[in-house]
Amino acid sequence: MTTDTKMIRNIAFTGHSSSGKTTLGEAVLFNAGKTNRLGRVDEKNSVLDHGDEEISRQITISLSMASLDWKDRHINVLDTPGFPDFFGEVVSAARVVEALAIVIDSTSGIELGTEKAWDLVKKKDLAAMFIINKMTKENADYEAVLADIKSMFTKNATMIQLPIGQGPEFKGVVNLLTGKAYSFNEGKSEETEVPGDIKDKAESMKEELIEMIAQSDDKLMEKFFEDGLSDEDIEIGFQKAIKQGKLYPVLFTDAYENIGVANVMDIIANIMPSPAINQEYEILDDEDNEQTIAIDDKFTGFVFKTAVEKHIGDMAYVRVFTGTLETGTDADNPKKRSSEKINQMYSLVGKERTDISEAPAGSIAALVKLKNTKTNDTLCDSSLNLHYKEIEFPHANVSMAIIPQAKGDEEKISNGLTKLSEEDPSFVFNFDSEIKQTLVHGLGTIHLEVIIKKLKEKFGVNVDLVKPKIKYRETITKPAAAEGKHKKQSGGRGQFGVCNVKFEPNAEEEEFQFVDEIFGGSIPSKFVPSVEKGVRQQLKEGYLAGYPMVNIKATVYDGKFHPVDSSDIAFQLAGSNAVKNAMPNAGVVLLEPIMKVSVIVPEEYMGDIMGDMNSRRGRILGMEAKGRNQKVNALVPQAEMYQYSSQLRSMTQGRGTFAMEFEKYDKVPTDQAKKIVEEAKAEDEDE
């Protein structure tokens, strides 16, 4: 591995699912001599998509890395998923690279994954290049794709190549910077003459490109008008324009046929920014105050991914931001207040590992056998106590419950889920004591299905994914009063307590309110809290279907006691009985959780989305423009949102996204409530 940071390039291949990112990565590996054949996703022999689920589903699920050398540069390629369920992996990659390569299908154009990748470019202030791929496909239309890039993303998207033909006639590219043409035969590049029918166009576009590059710098602009720019001026200006976001190169490939890929590699190596673009980085001290640290200072690195490997355990992917990391050294983890011995360090090509002894600033490497270090942790020189800001992973919107297939697996399941959550922080889980279910939360149904498959493969436990129970509530709609009595005589001291309690509907802001209106000492003050405790406990048990009762005001206004037989427990039971006796007259109804749902879709799907929301008993709150899309806000019962991510994907060809959060409780319609009550009673009988 090179020790010169200026010679390193870090780039992530991003874009929509099936745009050809992994195939492009496989062609890059082949051209760099890392493989002796072109790996194929459809033939299930891809080097980058090597996980069992990736091979089975033929989609990228986990971020994969490939380190290679090309034209005296050391390039780290991060291949990322395009499927929205695994967008957390893309966010991880964007944290540690200087540039994104946004891959676009020449026939499909701009899709959801393209938009999300561009959003990351702007949010993270990254350099970017657009690669219009699959240029040999029928109906390829690069001009339409380029027009959409310019109108939807940036007018600074600039062709630096001119394709030679398109569709089945796509044979190569003209490099507009050099004026040289390249044709490809069985993946091999050969310099050739610029075809006569596009020669004038290529010359005109070259002049426009050079003028655009000159505009990135006042001195270059002056030189451009006086003497013209040298090749060195053009290269320097090109790099400046990319760094400043004034130019986003547009290139053309057919990765499956390995056409144009070598030219993409040249641009990555020669033009895209190196880690040396940043001479210092923002970092936080022990109190989270911002500091800066120079790239040539002592070692600091950031773990952006943890992978659980069958034979070696946890493998931490670390980006070295400053200094040099060497094997045999001790590194501190300030967040965990622990130290790690760096015994083994690897360069990766897919799952293949090569031992390395050092990783300079700008490098990305894999570490194994770390004790406490996980994703989002910082490693640094032991003399420093600094840490990098953590990655903000996308919020999990989809929840399901899991049921073990075998008794006694609970601990193994918990350990496995913990490991998988460390590997993929966009997946979280918890045990909900109210509904007595372990809930798993992810970015989509397929995300959770993959997690469960990994749980079986890596940890040997089988579970079923089921619909989570809904946290219904009960409340009253009219006032009711009742006497609660507990009287027991069994020789010796007995038990006696009587209370009269009035129950009324209460404001939603106050789930429960207890009022003491006892006068004249009919219940001694020391026993009033016992009445309240009994009322509270019984309300938790529910009346209709066993769900907690809320929004109730309970007023104790009278009662009786015995100077010998009354006790705390007697008045607790009396309070409980007051609830049981009053509820038949209180108009008890069932409440359900209502979620605020925000759906973002292209305008052409608005009608379908709104109709679907209405069919889910939803209430549309309004619509608003959201960038290039429309946002629909609605209130929808939680019970109607099960597996919505899959249905939304189907309705919008994968271009819709949604977010959901709890808003309030509302009354369940009578017919729905009847079914819920019957199901609850049947469940009680089974238990």
Side-chain angles (χ1 to χ4, degrees):
M1 180 183 281
T2 178
T3 56
D4 187 349
T5 300
K6 291 180 181 177
M7 307 302 261
I8 298 174
R9 300 290 184 271
N10 298 313
I11 191 163
F13 288 176
T14 61
H16 196 71
S17 185
S18 300
S19 59
K21 300 178 299 299
T22 301
T23 302
L24 178 64
E26 296 291 336
V28 167
L29 291 177
F30 177 74
N31 292 341
K34 285 291 182 180
T35 57
N36 55 18
R37 56 165 173 73
L38 278 167
R40 304 291 197 198
V41 174
D42 55 351
E43 295 175 9
K44 302 186 177 184
N45 59 13
S46 166
V47 172
L48 296 171
D49 281 359
H50 54 80
D52 293 342
E53 277 294 288
E54 291 178 317
I55 294 169
S56 171
R57 294 177 182 267
Q58 296 187 30
I59 60 171
T60 301
I61 289 171
S62 298
L63 177 157
S64 187
M65 178 178 162
S67 294
L68 55 104
D69 294 311
W70 182 258
K71 305 285 178 74
D72 299 323
R73 302 289 191 271
H74 184 76
I75 303 174
N76 294 310
V77 172
L78 301 183
D79 179 40
T80 67
F83 211 71
D85 287 35
F86 309 104
F87 188 65
E89 300 285 306
V90 189
V91 175
S92 285
R95 178 69 172 79
V96 296
V97 297
E98 283 69 44
L100 299 188
I102 302 176
V103 184
I104 305 173
D105 185 320
S106 66
T107 61
S108 304
I110 307 299
E111 299 175 275
L112 175 64
T114 329
E115 295 173 11
K116 290 168 79 72
W118 177 251
D119 288 343
L120 278 177
V121 169
K122 303 311 292 178
K123 184 178 180 180
K124 303 294 183 183
D125 193 25
L126 297 170
M129 61 197 298
F130 294 98
I131 301 174
I132 299 178
N133 189 36
K134 300 188 177 183
M135 282 286 290
T136 63
K137 285 177 70 175
E138 292 281 356
N139 303 319
D141 188 347
Y142 78 83
E143 290 177 326
V145 176
L146 179 61
D148 283 345
I149 293 172
K150 285 179 174 290
S151 65
M152 296 173 70
F153 297 157
T154 173
K155 289 182 170 58
N156 294 338
T158 306
M159 286 173 57
I160 64 168
Q161 294 176 340
L162 180 63
I164 301 173
Q166 67 176 325
E169 302 304 314
F170 178 59
K171 303 299 182 202
V173 294
V174 178
N175 184 329
L176 296 176
L177 290 169
T178 63
K180 295 178 180 178
Y182 300 88
S183 63
F184 292 82
N185 184 22
E186 295 183 356
K188 293 182 180 178
S189 173
E190 181 180 313
E191 189 175 328
T192 186
E193 292 290 323
V194 178
D197 59 336
I198 60 170
K199 196 166 187 176
D200 290 344
K201 186 176 183 180
E203 284 294 329
S204 172
M205 291 180 71
K206 179 179 180 179
E207 289 176 14
E208 291 175 10
L209 177 60
I210 292 173
E211 184 173 353
M212 189 172 186
I213 289 169
Q215 291 172 0
S216 67
D217 184 275
D218 290 342
K219 289 182 180 177
L220 283 181
M221 197 66 184
E222 190 177 322
K223 196 172 181 182
F224 171 76
F225 285 117
E226 290 179 356
D227 307 315
L229 300 183
S230 66
D231 290 345
E232 185 180 1
D233 290 333
I234 292 171
E235 186 168 315
I236 291 170
F238 195 6
Q239 290 173 341
K240 275 189 176 181
I242 289 174
K243 289 174 189 176
Q244 296 167 1
K246 293 181 177 178
L247 192 153
Y248 297 97
V250 179
L251 299 96
F252 304 91
T253 62
D254 193 289
Y256 197 86
E257 301 294 339
N258 199 11
I259 299 176
V261 177
N263 301 84
V264 169
M265 295 169 72
D266 287 344
I267 295 298
I268 293 172
N270 297 326
I271 304 298
M272 299 309 282
S274 80
I277 187 176
N278 296 310
Q279 285 300 300
E280 59 183 25
Y281 291 93
E282 287 185 356
I283 197 165
L284 305 175
D285 64 19
D286 200 29
E287 296 180 349
D288 286 342
N289 297 313
E290 283 191 1
Q291 310 285 336
T292 56
I293 186 166
I295 194 171
D296 58 358
D297 206 327
K298 294 175 181 177
F299 160 69
T300 63
F302 180 75
V303 176
F304 64 97
K305 178 177 173 60
T306 306
V308 181
E309 297 292 338
K310 285 181 182 177
H311 304 298
I312 63 172
D314 290 359
M315 186 161 64
Y317 290 59
V318 62
R319 160 68 194 260
V320 179
F321 281 108
T322 67
T324 299
L325 177 60
E326 298 178 344
T327 55
T329 61
D330 291 318
D332 276 6
N333 181 334
K335 182 179 170 184
K336 301 288 177 58
R337 300 190 184 280
S338 63
S339 178
E340 298 280 9
K341 184 78 170 178
I342 309 301
N343 290 315
Q344 290 175 288
M345 186 158 49
Y346 299 111
S347 172
L348 298 177
V349 175
K351 64 180 178 181
E352 299 300 321
R353 305 185 300 275
T354 302
D355 282 285
I356 56 175
S357 60
E358 65 174 21
S363 301
I364 300 176
L367 309 177
V368 296
K369 298 180 180 176
L370 301 182
K371 295 178 296 183
N372 299 310
T373 300
K374 308 295 179 187
T375 302
N376 263 335
D377 284 349
T378 295
L379 290 172
C380 64
D381 186 275
S382 56
S383 66
L384 302 173
N385 187 22
L386 301 169
H387 62 276
Y388 287 102
K389 188 176 180 181
E390 295 184 359
I391 299 167
E392 293 181 14
F393 285 95
H395 177 67
N397 275 326
V398 176
S399 300
M400 298 183 79
I402 58 172
I403 297 176
Q405 291 183 5
K407 289 184 178 180
D409 277 350
E410 286 78 11
E411 187 174 348
K412 287 169 71 177
I413 290 170
S414 178
N415 291 338
L417 292 176
T418 299
K419 285 283 188 184
L420 292 170
S421 183
E422 291 170 352
E423 184 179 30
D424 178 4
S426 60
F427 161 71
V428 293
F429 73 99
N430 67 288
F431 178 76
D432 193 307
S433 57
E434 180 184 330
I435 58 177
K436 298 179 177 62
Q437 286 184 316
T438 296
L439 301 178
V440 290
H441 314 275
L443 302 183
T445 307
I446 294 177
H447 186 198
L448 294 180
E449 288 174 359
V450 167
I451 289 289
I452 297 313
K453 282 282 184 72
K454 287 183 178 180
L455 191 63
K456 178 182 179 180
E457 291 167 4
K458 296 184 177 183
F459 304 98
V461 284
N462 291 301
V463 299
D464 293 319
L465 280 171
V466 298
K467 183 178 181 179
K469 294 177 182 176
I470 304 294
K471 292 183 181 180
Y472 293 105
R473 295 287 184 265
E474 299 176 19
T475 194
I476 61 176
T477 58
K478 58 186 180 181
E483 179 184 80
K485 180 188 290 186
H486 179 70
K487 183 178 179 182
K488 189 174 183 182
Q489 196 71 43
S490 57
R493 184 176 177 180
Q495 295 180 28
F496 182 83
V498 177
C499 63
N500 294 84
V501 186
K502 180 173 67 176
F503 298 91
E504 302 168 89
N506 201 17
E508 287 185 21
E509 300 79 42
E510 296 186 64
E511 286 200 352
F512 177 72
Q513 184 182 3
F514 185 82
V515 178
D516 175 9
E517 289 187 356
I518 295 293
F519 294 101
S522 58
I523 299 177
S525 59
K526 66 178 182 178
F527 292 133
V528 172
S530 301
V531 175
E532 180 181 356
K533 187 174 181 181
V535 169
R536 284 182 178 272
Q537 288 175 339
Q538 189 57 44
L539 289 176
K540 284 181 182 177
E541 299 296 320
Y543 172 72
L544 283 178
Y547 294 102
M549 304 191 75
V550 296
N551 308 334
I552 292 175
K553 177 182 178 181
T555 304
V556 57
Y557 60 90
D558 201 0
K560 297 176 184 177
F561 79 101
H562 188 280
V564 176
D565 291 347
S566 289
S567 63
D568 286 335
I569 189 65
F571 275 101
Q572 280 186 45
L573 292 168
S576 175
N577 289 331
V579 175
K580 294 176 183 176
N581 296 335
M583 288 307 110
N585 302 313
V588 181
V589 295
L590 206 60
L591 302 176
E592 63 182 339
I594 304 296
M595 312 303 286
K596 184 176 182 182
V597 180
S598 299
V599 186
I600 298 175
V601 292
E603 184 146 10
E604 61 261 35
Y605 300 110
M606 288 283 285
D608 292 340
I609 294 303
M610 293 171 69
D612 180 68
M613 283 293 165
N614 289 327
S615 73
R616 296 174 188 273
R617 299 190 285 125
R619 180 166 66 89
I620 305 296
L621 298 177
M623 293 156 286
E624 59 185 287
K626 186 72 175 177
R628 301 168 295 276
N629 297 309
Q630 292 291 321
K631 181 179 180 181
V632 180
N633 294 314
L635 295 179
V636 189
Q638 184 184 354
E640 302 290 342
M641 291 300 292
Y642 180 59
Q643 292 193 329
Y644 181 67
S645 67
S646 299
Q647 291 148 0
L648 177 64
R649 186 176 299 122
S650 176
M651 279 190 291
T652 63
Q653 283 74 55
R655 297 187 67 190
T657 61
F658 81 104
M660 181 170 71
E661 62 182 9
F662 172 77
E663 177 72 12
K664 63 177 182 176
Y665 274 94
D666 207 351
K667 184 181 174 183
V668 180
T670 305
D671 56 339
Q672 298 280 339
K674 187 178 178 182
K675 292 178 186 176
I676 294 164
V677 171
E678 288 172 356
E679 288 171 4
K681 287 179 178 176
E683 192 174 309
D684 282 344
E685 289 172 5
D686 289 343
E687 290 179 359

